[in-house]
Amino acid sequence: MPILAASGITKRFGGVVALDDAGFACEAGEIHALLGENGAGKSTMVKVLCGVQPPDSGTLTDDGRPATFKNPAAAAAAGIVPVFQELSLVPHLSVAANLFMGHEPQSPLGLIAGRRMRRQARALLDDLGFAGIDPAATVADLPLAQRQLVEIAKAIGRRPRVLILDEATSALTQREVAKVFAVVRRLRDAGTAVIFISHRLDEVRALCDRATVFRDGTDVGTIAIGEASHDQIVHLMIGRALRDVYPPRPPRPAQEESLLAVRGMGWGAALRDISFELRRGEILGLSGLEGQGQGDLLFALFGVYAGVAGAVEVRGRPVKLGNPHAAMRAGIALVPEDRKTQALILPLPVRDNVNLATLPSVARGGFVSAAAEARRTDAMRERLAIKTASRETPVRFLSGGNQQKVAIAKWLLADADVYLLYDPTRGIDVGAKQEIYALMRGLADAGHGILFFSTDLTEIVGLCDRAMVMYEGAVVRDLSGPALSEAALVSAAVGVTETARATG
Amino acid sequence: MTKSEAGSQKPEARRRITRGFRLPASDFVARNRAVLVPYALIGALLLIAALRTPGFVAPGNLRTQLVLASYLATIAAGETLVILTGGIDLSVAWNLNLSAILLTQLAEGGGGGRIAWAVVAALGSGMLVGLINGIGVAFLRIPSLVMTLGMNAVLEGVTLVYTNGSPQGAAPGFAKNLAVGRIGGVVPWALIYWAILSLTLIFVLRRSVFGRRLYAVGNNPRAAYLSGVPVRGVLVASYALCGLFAGIAGVLLTGYSSQSYLDMGSPFVLPAIAAVVIGGTSILGGSGGYGGTIAGATTVVLLQNALQVIGVRTAGQQILYGLIILLMLFVYGRGRRIRE
């Protein structure tokens, strides 16, 4: 008997049908993947399972008994604990306080026993193999990847019967993913059911026992992972065969015009003496372990930081990047890391978000032309295949991949020379990923330059013309041509770690 | 692009999406619920009042109430802008008071040129105060509540020093005419002014670059900043406009009472904020608009009048405003959460 099953689930958001008669079942002691393109309904299914979104119709059964979870607390009481991609930690509290939130160890007087809590937190983190995290550290001070690990530890600390990992590994580097996998396998062997959602198909293949594939809001099949080939799974997910994932790299003349030249850029300890050139038509990758200054470099180039040392030239002209507005006028665009808090205005319509950066160009005398705005929005919907009920749909109703497309569309309209992309394919499905790869190559071919940070090494190798590896705020390796391989990237990122330790 | 590939599975997806289609009318109600609530409130209020005191809904009385509402709605217009950014302006009390006093004292005994100069000074001081508020909030990052509360105290002191405790002069004829005059003895100038103000402001909020950016900043200043929106400029502009509206309100209220006097603005602060909130603008910023504030201001003024008719004293009215603001926050706050 399945430990948790859903059947006939339907869920609408406004005019968009997120789930349409969908179902699946998972057994105790298995790792069960939910697969599908963005907007296929996986995340909505998870939200239904753990009481975040009540379904419009359909039934859940918990150990064979019908169950309704009115809210996340009710689901948690039944042992169903989710970890989401959106982080739910309280940033200004310590790691330990977050881990035990709501069930803190108490002293005889009913106060929180801080020392005992930190000790238990240490034990929990050590047990999970997350030894690098200090229980007394404030969550806001941790890099994104460590916060994600804390999130996972917090869920496991509640001893779930069903653990749900919804894109919980997308912010992690390969080494951290391996740690999480070890923990998850241990839980499975102890009889816990694990529902796993990831857009990294190789992760799913490495970890999961079975998978249920979603397409267009309904389940289209459940397969044993070991018996299905990569191509079969992808075919099931997108209803068509996946051709070459990465667009071909065109041969380029050796000396294209320099679009972006950076010399001696520094910012406190976060960025140290960075110099490089980005040429017309080039996709330049940024790699290295997470949190080595790649994000700071993109922010510095977009004028977000004050007091950045060094010189920047765009198309040979020196530019002062005092703020994002100035960077934008200089011809630089940034698609930031977190689309929900940094890129998009979630309650506002698709139309407003798409046109936000370029309002003056659809306006005359300070007033926006509704027709011009609609035309541009539709052009972007068409060009990027953005799935939305209408132009007026608030972007919060769109799926992750479609939200990301809106974030990109906003900057396509700005027609920048240089595009800075921070992990643009994080947490979105293969189909949308492939579309974004093709779009990036198309931009490069049209004469733009792209500086592209990714946590996914295969993306860097498959897509980029050249890649820089960063370590502790400095560029430590520049790889191109045949030298650009996953092995080279890993060894550059890790090899440098060792030399730096030896010299430092 | 892989458009042809994406297109091959399109029809199915499109069919699924259109299944959620609903009637345009119900869609209109859903989208404008926050604005429709206060209008329904006005209707209910009028109905109850008409049943109890038929004289209340006489055209003459309603016209008087609407003229009074136009003063409040002027202050509330500025508050709407500032509240949409997620801030609040408490300095409107003494800001409008200073404008009113500048108007009467500078225009004292002078001709048309002198009166014009007094009007410019009154509106200019209102806008300047707003500008300083905006700079404090946008550049010095002082919370708006603190910034404008401090500014209010400073303005009170300045006004007391400037007037030596007793403001001089009388309202110029044009101000009286604007506030209480009627075209052909029938249509009040104040309502013509209010109609123009309303249409302009609604259009600016919906269609201007400034209006669009205002909503972006109010909802998510960080994303707006990273989208190249000049966030500080938007903030400063909205506080400056709020100050300008306070100045206009100062002129109107001077015309209404034929003179300026100390502490004439304070009784309007809470009702103005109540008008904005009742009108469905989120006190957290980012959603709402002036269409709701119009109804909000009307509701507040009708309520004031109705309470007077029933015989509720000022103290009781104050308690009621406070409760209404809290109740509205509760109602809209819940609505927002459920829709999330």
Side-chain angles (χ1 to χ4, degrees), chain B residues 72 94 215 218:
Chain B
L72 182 64
W94 281 93
Y215 284 97

Side-chain angles (χ1 to χ4, degrees), chain A residues 140-219:
Chain A
D141 297 337
L142 298 179
L144 185 59
Q146 290 204 357
R147 273 183 269 162
Q148 187 73 63
L149 290 180
V150 173
E151 189 95 30
I152 293 169
K154 177 181 162 188
I156 294 174
R158 321 211 139 187
R159 313 195 177 285
R161 290 163 60 230
V162 180
L163 175 68
I164 303 176
L165 300 174
D166 185 356
E167 290 295 346
T169 55
S170 60
L172 304 181
T173 59
Q174 289 181 341
R175 215 171 42 180
E176 291 151 346
V177 168
K179 283 184 196 165
V180 173
F181 280 11
V183 172
V184 168
R185 291 199 181 95
R186 223 172 71 201
L187 287 175
R188 169 193 59 192
D189 297 342
T192 308
V194 180
I195 297 171
F196 184 79
I197 297 181
S198 167
H199 284 105
R200 296 180 184 169
L201 205 51
D202 36 344
E203 281 186 8
V204 170
R205 292 184 65 80
L207 181 69
C208 300
D209 305 309
R210 289 196 304 158
T212 298
V213 180
F214 283 73
R215 196 196 318 150
D216 286 325
T218 192
D219 53 309

Side-chain angles (χ1 to χ4, degrees), chain A residues 15 17 20 37 216 240 243 302 324-325 341-342 344-345 347 357 359 363 366-368 370 373 383 410-411, chain B residues 1-2 5 9 12 16-17 19-20 203-204 207-209 212-213 216 219-220 222-223 225-229:
Chain A
V17 181
D20 185 2
E37 281 200 290
D216 286 325
R240 61 189 149 93
R243 281 193 241 114
F302 198 55
H325 191 64
T341 63
Q342 298 175 333
L344 298 170
I345 317 276
L359 274 178
F367 286 91
V368 178
E373 217 183 9
R383 178 166 169 198
K410 174 171 70 183
W411 289 111
Chain B
M1 277 308 306
T2 54
E5 289 173 11
Q9 55 149 351
E12 196 185 357
R16 286 181 188 284
I17 285 162
R19 229 189 271 169
F203 189 64
V204 163
R207 292 248 65 96
S208 75
V209 172
R212 286 297 178 73
R213 287 176 167 171
N219 270 306
N220 187 344
R222 189 140 76 129
Y225 179 67
L226 288 176
S227 301
V229 171

